[in-house]
Amino acid sequence: EPEVTQTPSHQVTQMGQEVILRCVPISNHLYFYWYRQILGQKVEFLVSFYNNEISEKSEIFDDQFSVERPDGSNFTLKIRSTKLEDSAMYFCASEGGLGNQPQHFGDGTRLSIL
Amino acid sequence: KNEVEQSPQNLTAQEGEFITINCSYSVGISALHWLQQHPGGGIVSLFMLSSGKKKHGRLIATINIQEKHSSLHITASHPRDSAVYICAVSQGAQKLVFGQGTRLTINP
């Protein structure tokens, strides 16, 4: 069964550094999402992406965050200048887009900011 | 107030017991999702439903739209069912709004 893949599984970065989290969604899916989960808290929506543009973003998704789908297969989340509070598990998800369908999640990237 | 509330937050049971996890929501939805989060962190979709009841193996999910309530049941629970079970809702625009999760531990 096709799956969403995320790399790396764990990223350790110094505060203030840029980080790029990568995702390869399921190939024929049309909607893409990033969520994050701070340790011990619930999963939170960051951003949704459709037709090569952001369709919705949360208050968390400020100017330090950006998303790209540079080559039709990868879907990336960039954090320009990381802060300690960016430490979290980041999940990518994709959905087919043909009516009500479940989202398929990657295994997540654990981001640790030192 | 959280838009999605789950109960209980933690549940410990013996192998073989019938398990029920509840979810209430306060907003209009297009669908309700039940997800399973493994100890390593990965998230798997179990059910997506907008009415009635769905069954997959030993798992059953029900939803009452009028009461804005859903339940996830596990029959003949097994230690491998130990995980965090998450209720989430979507509101047409596809993004998911998550509950805080229920940590289930099944002891042998």
Side-chain angles (χ1 to χ4, degrees):
Chain A
E1 183 176 325
E3 56 183 32
V4 176
T5 57
Q6 288 186 243
T7 55
S9 56
H10 190 191
Q11 173 85 44
V12 182
T13 302
Q14 291 287 333
M15 186 172 61
Q17 295 295 305
E18 175 182 285
V19 65
I20 297 175
L21 309 183
R22 303 182 191 279
C23 170
V24 179
I26 294 173
S27 62
N28 61 346
H29 281 188
L30 301 176
Y31 290 87
F32 313 107
Y33 309 86
W34 283 102
Y35 297 92
R36 81 171 186 190
Q37 185 178 32
I38 294 170
L39 187 63
Q41 298 186 19
K42 64 182 179 180
V43 180
E44 302 171 287
F45 167 75
L46 290 178
V47 65
S48 58
F49 193 86
Y50 170 72
N51 200 26
N52 283 322
E53 59 184 26
I54 291 173
S55 49
E56 188 174 357
K57 60 183 180 180
S58 72
E59 290 179 355
I60 303 167
F61 195 88
D62 62 21
D63 291 345
Q64 293 300 310
F65 290 86
S66 62
V67 288
E68 269 193 330
R69 190 160 157 78
D71 56 11
S73 61
N74 291 285
F75 179 50
T76 62
L77 174 69
K78 183 194 292 187
I79 310 175
R80 275 185 255 289
S81 178
T82 50
K83 302 188 279 286
L84 293 175
E85 53 265 37
D86 293 327
S87 295
M89 189 77 134
Y90 288 81
F91 292 102
C92 172
S94 70
E95 183 200 326
L98 303 174
N100 263 347
Q101 292 186 345
Q103 292 183 16
H104 295 253
F105 286 80
D107 286 339
T109 293
R110 183 169 300 282
L111 178 63
S112 300
I113 307 300
L114 304 179
Chain B
K1 183 184 188 301
N2 290 328
E3 293 171 294
V4 181
E5 295 275 2
Q6 288 183 236
S7 63
Q9 289 190 26
N10 293 283
L11 178 56
T12 300
Q14 290 300 121
E15 183 173 357
E17 286 189 39
F18 182 80
I19 302 299
T20 296
I21 300 170
N22 295 300
C23 176
S24 297
Y25 54 93
S26 58
V27 295
I29 67 170
S30 57
L32 184 138
H33 306 249
W34 282 103
L35 307 136
Q36 182 190 55
Q37 186 168 29
H38 301 298
I43 295 174
V44 175
S45 178
L46 298 175
F47 294 104
M48 176 178 172
L49 64 166
S50 53
S51 65
K53 176 179 173 178
K54 286 190 175 180
K55 184 176 190 291
H56 185 254
R58 294 181 294 105
L59 273 59
I60 303 165
T62 64
I63 187 168
N64 184 319
I65 298 293
Q66 286 73 33
E67 295 187 3
K68 296 187 174 177
H69 181 269
S70 175
S71 293
L72 176 69
H73 305 285
I74 305 175
T75 61
S77 59
H78 190 277
R80 65 175 175 267
D81 297 326
S82 298
V84 175
Y85 292 84
I86 303 172
C87 173
V89 299
S90 51
Q91 296 176 280
Q94 289 92 26
K95 78 169 188 190
L96 296 183
V97 177
F98 292 78
Q100 77 273 30
T102 294
R103 184 174 299 278
L104 174 66
T105 303
I106 304 296
N107 292 319

